[in-house]
């Protein structure tokens, strides 16, 4: 690492290692290391690092440039005790004299000399490039091609200086090029201060932009003019378009293009006969540097050229947006079809074009309705791209165009973006009310009302109904399927409606009907293109979540992954958050914890761009679940509490965030806190809780574990029975595994625990729940230990330990270690055991956990005086005088309860 104002070198470890190897092998003969890198990849920075390292290694270092190369080579010291390292940057700029000097050194290399040459291969003359790369006797050569930094390297380069939106798009926008990374990093105002606009929509930082702009500024006037014209066109351009925009003749343009290609400012495009900037960010930077007046005229000329040659609306839209004045209806006519064309692939761009079209329409009252529609479309596109601020601004502008009559007639077009904004804020009741009001308003609408919009509203109602509105969800889902099938043109919407109906069926315990709808929706989705699904990513999310609940993991992973890829490629961050979180939850079920952790972190990053607090709550819930399995319980508690703060009381994640927090508190040893969290969220009955089926099982599991931990064995058995009922209601294997593990945990004797634990092990293996296999083995090991079968217990613990390591399951690993330690403690002979009543034993357990008398009284629902009375009897029976001695005897298993054996910890099965 370097010091001072020079950035630390990132991502070039392999190149430095190659130079060090050649340096160490100079005793075998002279060596050459050629380093080829495109502009901005950091060749000069790497050579600086090599020079510093070589000096520290004791070499004579000679750093030079092409202009001084002949003199530098002629003055090389004789390699006596120390080797010589010659470093030459920008070799592609060598003139004839420098080429001859360099070629001479290559043909007659000198012992003890390491030659390190940096060059740009695209700008290197062919003869010189051939001389650099030719094999030569007696010269050990190695040629390195610098690659762009990967995503991790780009994030390390930027550090913590970026806002969330720019951090998420940093690698994609820069291509991993360090010079472009520096430009983007310097142009961001940082977390909490940067508006997060796309690069190029506001001025770049002048200091970071200067080296890139200098490449164009060094060219001749006509060449710069053509570069400016290419930046205005902003796409692969043919010479004719460049000539018209630059107002030059074709011959002058061709000459300028040759110079721009030689300077590697422009490159040949994949479209024959067209050229483009070497990177889109360079094109946007040059565009911002073009003088404003000339740029405005250039956009008008570009628009005229495209219209004359019949170019599609998408190619004309950018120029219409830049060049047209308000009131120019022709500009709006070009922008609207262009926005519709890119809506699937670039909703942020579509939203900007809808907004521009509304601005360009004449202010006359005849255009008010059209402007309202365009602003509603702009709001919908902005919400999809995570720009809630822009969506609200568009809706506010639309409101200003409404009068009394229009407020009723024009509500439907803006219903969906308004509802989506309410969802992002966690206000599901408001979102439902907006949609229901829009549907109710259709009764008074003209007969020509849009049936597609009705199908969208019904489907959204069904998909967001939640488990707390089962009857309404079923009715809305049936109406959604009917409306979508009747419309027929939007197959993705039909798939979404089917998936929503399947979710309603599953919530009602109708698993077969849910599976039928899931398969029907999958058949439709799998025939659609990514472009068709990009307009309806909620369909993939709803379908994949249904498939996850139905334990159809293969199709669910496929649909989640396809949705994530499409969402990221099109910049739809709310959808990307939901899809990544859904995939993380699926991977958690399967026990694939490292993969789940990666997807959970992806969800967190996407949620920072999603434009609302509900996506953040969702992502943090999943991160907390991952932390519970692979990190410490304390970490899980902290993350879950952050999720609880963000989850709105009327949102989809309010109950789930409390459930995750309660599970984390239980794992952290705070059973009373866990029960209090669940009681505060009104989550005391798994059979009626407003949660999906899998979360209801998780609730039963947490209730069972917390109740066992505080000695409420009877209440724990009730929760285990409710889990059994829930699993039987759905008939799903994964839920049955959880119910069986709970049955083993609350069994009254080791022998009674064997059957459900064995069955859970077999079922977990059959449905691919690897971690649950480990938990089942821990339960079996504990039962075998207590039955006096140490060899079988050890076999199960060994297998469980392997599973914990393979899955990176830290929580399971901790439980395996605890069970192993328990097995190593010999059981006390029956005659040495002290016997207490059931209530006395429950109080002894709570004492051993450090609970105060007041906490014990609250936990057991008895008075403080009753606890004191029982404690007096316990002290007498156990012949002890302190609470610590009680805890010690409980820990050594020298105390038993009458008439039942003491309850087992759920930790072996949770």
């Amino acid at each position: 690492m370097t010091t001072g104002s020079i950035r630390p070198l990132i991502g070039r470890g392999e190149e430095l290692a190659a130079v060090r190897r050649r340096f160490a092998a100079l005793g075998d003969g002279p060596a050459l290391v050629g380093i080829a890198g495109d502009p901005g990849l950091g060749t000069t920075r790497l050579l600086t690092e090599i020079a510093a390292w070589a000096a520290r290694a004791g070499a004579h270092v000679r750093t030079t440039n092409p202009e001084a190369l002949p003199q530098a080579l002629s003055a090389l010291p004789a390699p006596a005790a120390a080797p010589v390292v010659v470093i030459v940057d920008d070799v592609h700029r060598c003139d004839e004299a420098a080429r001859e000097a360099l070629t001479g050194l290559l043909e007659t290399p000198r012992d003890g000399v390491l030659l390190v040459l940096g060059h740009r291969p695209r700008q290197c003359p062919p003869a010189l490039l051939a001389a650099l790369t030719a094999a030569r006797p007696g010269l050990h050569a190695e040629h390195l091609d610098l690659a762009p930094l990967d995503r991790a390297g780009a994030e390390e380069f930027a550090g913590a200086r970026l806002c969330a939106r720019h951090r998420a798009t940093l690698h994609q926008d820069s291509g991993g090029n360090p010079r472009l990374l520096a430009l983007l990093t310097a142009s961001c105002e940082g977390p909490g201060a940067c508006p997060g606009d796309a690069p190029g929509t506001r001025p770049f930082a002048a200091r970071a932009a200067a080296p890139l702009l200098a490449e164009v500024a060094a060219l001749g006037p006509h060449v710069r003019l053509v570069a400016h014209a290419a930046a205005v066109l902003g796409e692969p351009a043919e010479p004719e378009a460049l000539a018209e925009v630059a107002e030059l003749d074709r011959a002058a343009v061709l000459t300028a293009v040759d110079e721009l290609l030689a300077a590697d400012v422009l490159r040949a495009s994949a479209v024959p006969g067209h050229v483009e900037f070497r990177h889109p960010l360079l094109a946007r930077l040059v565009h911002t540097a073009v003088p404003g007046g000339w740029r405005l005229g250039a956009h008008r000329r570009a628009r005229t050229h495209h219209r004359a040659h019949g170019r599609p609306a998408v190619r004309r839209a950018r120029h219409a947006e830049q060049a047209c004045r308000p009131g120019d209806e022709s500009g709006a006519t070009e922008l609207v079809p262009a926005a519709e064309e890119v809506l699937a692939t670039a909703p942020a761009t579509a939203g900007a074009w809808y907004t521009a079209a509304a601005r360009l329409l004449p202010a006359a009252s005849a255009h008010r309705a059209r402007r309202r529609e365009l602003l509603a479309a702009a709001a919908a596109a902005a919400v999809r791209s995570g720009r809630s601020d822009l969506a609200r601004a568009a809706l506010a502008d639309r409101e200003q165009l409404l009068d009394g009559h229009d407020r009723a007639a024009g509500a439907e077009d803006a219903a969906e973006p308004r509802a989506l904004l309410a969802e992002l804020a966690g206000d599901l009741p408001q979102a439902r009310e907006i949609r229901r009001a829009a549907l109710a308003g259709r009764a008074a609408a003209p007969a020509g009302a849009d049936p597609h919009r009705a199908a969208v509203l019904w489907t959204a109602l069904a998909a967001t109904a939640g488990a707390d509105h089962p009857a309404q969800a079923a009715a809305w889902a049936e109406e959604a399927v009917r409306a979508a099938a009747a419309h027929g043109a939007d197959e993705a919407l039909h798939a979404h409606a089917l998936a929503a109906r399947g979710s309603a069926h599953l919530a009602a315990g109708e698993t077969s009907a849910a599976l039928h709808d899931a398969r029907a929706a999958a058949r439709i989705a799998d025939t659609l293109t990514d472009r068709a699904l990009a307009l309806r990513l909620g369909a993939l999310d709803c379908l994949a979540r249904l498939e996850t609940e139905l334990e159809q993991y293969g199709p669910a992973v496929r649909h989640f992954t396809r949705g994530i890829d499409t969402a990221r490629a099109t910049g739809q961050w709310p959808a990307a958050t939901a899809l990544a979180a859904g995939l993380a939850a699926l991977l958690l079920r399967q026990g694939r914890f490292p993969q789940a952790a990666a997807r959970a972190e992806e969800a967190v990053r996407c949620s920072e761009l999603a434009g609302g607090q509900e996506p953040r709550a969702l992502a943090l819930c999943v991160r907390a679940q991952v932390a519970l399995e692979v990190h410490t319980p304390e970490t899980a508690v902290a993350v879950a509490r952050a999720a609880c703060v963000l989850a709105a009381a009327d949102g989809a994640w309010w109950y789930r965030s409390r459930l995750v927090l309660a599970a984390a508190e239980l794992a952290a040893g705070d059973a009373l806190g866990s029960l209090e969290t669940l009681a505060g969220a009104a989550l005391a009955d798994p059979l009626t809780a407003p949660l999906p089926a899998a979360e209801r099982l998780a609730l039963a599991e947490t209730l069972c574990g917390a109740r066992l931990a505080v000695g409420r064995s009877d209440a724990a058995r009730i929760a285990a029975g409710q889990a059994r009922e829930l699993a039987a209601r759905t008939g799903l294997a994964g839920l049955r595994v959880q119910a069986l593990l709970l049955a083993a945990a609350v069994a009254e004797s080791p022998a009674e625990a064997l059957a459900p634990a064995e069955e859970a092990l077999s079922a977990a293996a059959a449905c691919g729940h690897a971690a649950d296999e480990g938990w089942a083995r821990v339960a079996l090991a504990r039962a075998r230990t207590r039955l006096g079968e140490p060899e079988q217990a050890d076999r199960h613990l060994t297998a469980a330990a392997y599973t914990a390591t393979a899955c990176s399951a830290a929580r399971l690993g901790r439980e395996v270690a605890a069970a192993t330690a328990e097995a190593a403690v010999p059981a006390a002979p029956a005659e040495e055991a002290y016997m207490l009543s059931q209530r006395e034993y429950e109080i002894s357990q709570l004492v051993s956990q450090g609970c105060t008398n007041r906490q014990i009284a609250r936990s057991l629902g008895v008075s403080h005086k009753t606890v004191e009375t029982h404690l007096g009897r316990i002290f007498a029976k156990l012949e002890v005088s302190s609470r610590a001695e009680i805890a010690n005897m409980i820990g050594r298993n020298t105390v038993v309860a009458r008439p039942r054996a003491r309850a087992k910890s759920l930790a072996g099965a949770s």
Side-chain angles (χ1 to χ4, degrees):
M1 179 181 294
T2 59
T3 59
S5 61
I6 300 178
R7 286 180 178 270
L9 189 67
I10 295 171
R12 299 303 181 206
E14 292 184 8
E15 290 81 359
L16 283 172
V19 172
R20 290 167 182 163
R21 286 195 305 271
R22 288 299 174 193
F23 180 82
L26 279 178
D28 299 331
L32 162 69
V33 176
I35 301 176
D38 283 340
L41 283 182
T43 305
T44 300
R45 176 68 186 83
L46 176 59
L47 294 178
T48 301
E49 192 76 16
I50 291 170
W53 173 83
R56 291 194 301 270
H60 293 298
V61 180
R62 294 292 183 269
T63 301
T64 187
N65 54 43
E67 291 75 12
L69 182 59
Q71 295 81 1
L73 294 182
S74 63
L76 284 181
V84 177
V85 177
V86 179
I87 299 175
V88 187
D89 196 7
D90 292 335
V91 171
H92 54 279
R93 295 194 293 105
C94 284
D95 58 17
E96 190 62 34
R99 289 180 205 170
E100 290 181 2
L102 183 59
T103 303
L105 181 61
L106 292 173
E107 290 177 347
T108 57
R110 295 172 52 178
D111 288 337
V113 174
L114 171 61
L115 192 57
V116 183
L117 306 178
H119 66 281
R120 297 181 180 181
R122 295 174 185 271
Q123 296 174 255
C124 198
L128 178 57
L129 188 60
L132 293 177
T133 57
R136 301 179 187 278
L139 181 66
H140 302 284
E142 186 163 356
H143 298 281
L144 309 175
D145 293 313
L146 291 188
L149 299 180
D150 59 14
R151 186 178 300 277
E155 292 180 355
E156 183 183 356
F157 186 97
R161 294 184 292 273
L162 293 184
C163 68
R165 186 167 298 275
H166 285 143
R167 184 170 63 252
T169 59
L170 176 68
H171 187 260
Q172 178 180 336
D173 287 341
S174 68
N177 184 295
R179 183 170 292 171
L180 299 182
L181 284 168
L183 176 68
L184 292 174
T185 302
S187 301
C188 178
E189 296 175 21
C194 185
D197 297 326
T201 59
R202 54 196 169 82
F204 288 97
R207 189 173 180 181
L212 289 157
L213 293 176
E215 295 183 45
V216 178
L219 304 170
H222 283 179
V223 181
R224 287 199 303 273
L225 203 58
V226 172
H228 291 170
V232 166
L233 288 166
E235 60 187 357
E238 70 275 26
E240 289 74 16
L242 291 169
E244 189 161 344
V245 173
E247 296 182 298
L248 295 172
D249 62 69
R250 191 174 188 275
V253 166
L254 291 176
T255 300
V257 165
D258 285 341
E259 289 192 41
L260 289 166
L261 290 171
D264 202 20
V265 173
L266 297 183
R267 291 178 181 174
S269 167
V271 182
H274 290 58
V275 292
E276 61 187 347
F277 278 88
R278 69 170 182 259
H279 193 279
L281 189 56
L282 178 59
R284 294 199 292 269
L285 174 62
V286 173
H287 182 266
T288 62
V290 175
W294 189 91
R295 183 171 63 227
L296 178 62
H299 276 294
R300 289 174 179 163
R301 293 190 292 274
R303 183 185 179 213
T304 300
H305 173 84
H306 286 332
R307 293 180 70 178
H309 288 79
R311 303 289 189 250
V314 171
R315 294 189 66 181
R316 305 196 305 269
R318 178 169 180 262
H319 307 298
E321 180 186 18
Q322 295 280 337
C324 291
R325 300 184 181 91
D328 187 344
E329 190 173 355
S330 67
T333 302
E334 289 182 350
L335 284 165
V336 173
E340 292 170 351
E341 177 69 19
V342 303
L343 183 60
T345 55
T349 300
W353 286 351
Y354 280 130
T355 303
R359 172 177 55 83
L360 293 179
L361 280 175
S365 58
H367 296 280
R368 289 168 67 91
R370 183 58 173 153
R371 291 174 69 192
R372 290 197 302 268
E373 291 177 2
L374 292 174
L375 289 169
V383 172
R384 289 173 57 192
S385 59
R387 294 306 302 266
S388 298
D389 53 340
L390 298 182
R392 292 190 186 93
L395 290 174
D397 290 343
R398 177 186 174 279
E399 286 291 316
Q400 294 178 4
L401 298 173
L402 295 174
D403 55 30
H405 170 72
D406 291 334
R407 288 185 186 279
E412 190 180 351
D413 65 336
E416 195 55 21
R418 288 173 56 222
L420 289 172
L421 284 173
E423 285 179 21
L424 288 173
D427 195 342
L428 283 181
Q430 183 187 11
R432 294 188 190 111
E433 182 55 34
I434 290 169
R435 291 178 174 123
R436 294 176 72 178
L439 286 167
R442 290 177 56 80
D450 185 2
H452 178 258
R453 189 167 286 155
V456 170
L457 292 169
W458 282 118
T459 301
L461 274 174
T464 59
D468 51 339
H469 294 79
Q472 285 183 321
W476 290 338
E478 289 294 345
E479 191 64 34
V481 172
R482 185 200 62 76
H487 181 262
D490 190 343
E491 286 295 307
L493 179 62
H494 190 195
H496 197 173
L498 286 168
R501 187 174 71 176
S503 298
H505 282 313
L506 185 60
E510 301 165 358
T511 306
S512 296
L515 186 58
H516 179 272
D517 279 343
R519 288 172 175 166
R523 281 195 297 271
I524 295 173
D526 291 343
T527 64
L528 297 176
T529 64
D530 288 347
R531 181 182 180 84
L533 284 169
L535 292 168
R536 195 75 53 196
L537 284 176
L540 281 178
D541 182 46
C542 189
L543 171 58
R545 288 179 184 273
L546 174 60
E547 290 169 328
T548 301
E549 292 296 316
L550 291 168
E551 297 170 9
Q552 303 292 302
Y553 296 135
V557 169
R558 178 162 47 84
H559 292 134
F560 272 132
T561 304
R562 185 182 183 190
I564 293 168
D565 292 343
T566 304
R568 291 192 68 95
T570 56
Q572 298 187 58
W573 302 113
T577 302
L579 288 157
L583 182 53
L586 182 157
L587 295 167
L588 277 173
R589 285 193 184 195
Q590 293 184 302
R592 298 163 62 185
F593 297 139
Q595 298 94 321
R599 290 299 186 178
E601 290 309 308
E602 181 178 11
V604 170
R605 289 195 300 271
C606 292
S607 73
E608 295 173 347
L609 310 177
Q613 65 185 40
E614 274 295 279
R616 287 282 292 162
L618 157 63
L620 289 177
C621 275
V622 176
R623 177 191 265 176
Q625 290 175 304
V626 170
L628 185 59
E629 301 297 342
V630 304
H631 298 301
T632 65
E634 292 75 18
T635 300
V637 168
V639 178
R641 283 178 178 159
C644 289
V645 170
L646 287 171
D650 291 322
W653 293 96
W654 193 87
Y655 289 106
R656 299 184 202 184
S657 62
R658 270 70 186 168
L659 175 56
V660 174
L661 175 58
E665 288 172 331
L666 175 60
D670 186 7
L672 286 174
S674 176
L675 289 172
E676 289 174 357
T677 296
L678 293 176
L683 291 174
D685 186 354
L687 296 177
T688 60
L691 295 167
E695 275 80 5
R696 289 183 179 186
L697 256 294
L699 171 59
E701 182 181 358
T702 303
L703 283 169
C704 188
R707 288 168 179 174
L708 279 177
V710 298
R712 297 169 59 187
S713 303
D714 291 340
R717 291 189 184 90
I718 292 173
Q722 291 171 321
R724 185 166 56 251
E725 182 178 344
L726 286 168
R729 188 182 296 176
T730 63
L732 295 170
L735 302 189
R736 182 164 159 267
V737 170
Q738 297 300 312
L740 288 167
L741 289 171
L742 294 184
V746 300
E748 295 191 53
S749 68
E752 185 182 336
L754 284 178
E758 290 280 9
E759 196 175 350
L761 178 60
S762 176
C767 65
H769 288 197
D772 284 342
E773 290 185 57
W775 289 110
R777 289 191 181 277
V778 171
L780 282 168
R782 284 194 162 119
R784 294 295 183 186
T785 296
R786 290 161 186 168
L787 289 171
E789 301 172 357
E791 292 183 359
Q792 292 194 48
D794 184 66
R795 176 171 59 84
H796 285 301
L797 287 174
T798 300
Y802 175 82
T803 298
T805 301
C807 295
S808 298
R811 184 165 73 104
L812 175 58
R814 289 190 291 268
E815 200 59 33
V816 170
T820 302
E822 291 171 18
V825 177
E831 63 271 19
E832 293 182 11
Y834 291 84
M835 186 170 291
L836 301 175
S837 71
Q838 185 66 38
R839 178 62 78 189
E840 290 167 349
Y841 184 74
E842 289 174 343
I843 292 174
S844 297
Q845 280 190 311
L846 293 174
V847 168
S848 72
Q849 295 169 18
C851 295
T852 65
N853 287 2
R854 192 172 301 280
Q855 289 173 325
I856 294 171
R858 186 171 68 249
S859 173
L860 299 181
V862 298
S863 69
H864 185 270
K865 183 67 174 177
T866 299
V867 173
E868 289 181 345
T869 299
H870 280 299
L871 272 174
R873 293 172 182 166
I874 292 168
F875 282 131
K877 288 182 180 182
L878 300 185
E879 301 175 350
V880 298
S881 59
S882 71
R883 300 169 79 95
E885 290 177 281
I886 294 175
N888 181 268
M889 295 181 72
I890 290 289
R892 291 188 293 111
N893 294 326
T894 59
V895 179
V896 296
R898 187 181 55 223
R900 298 192 296 267
R902 74 182 183 90
K904 297 188 305 176
S905 169
L906 183 67
S910 61

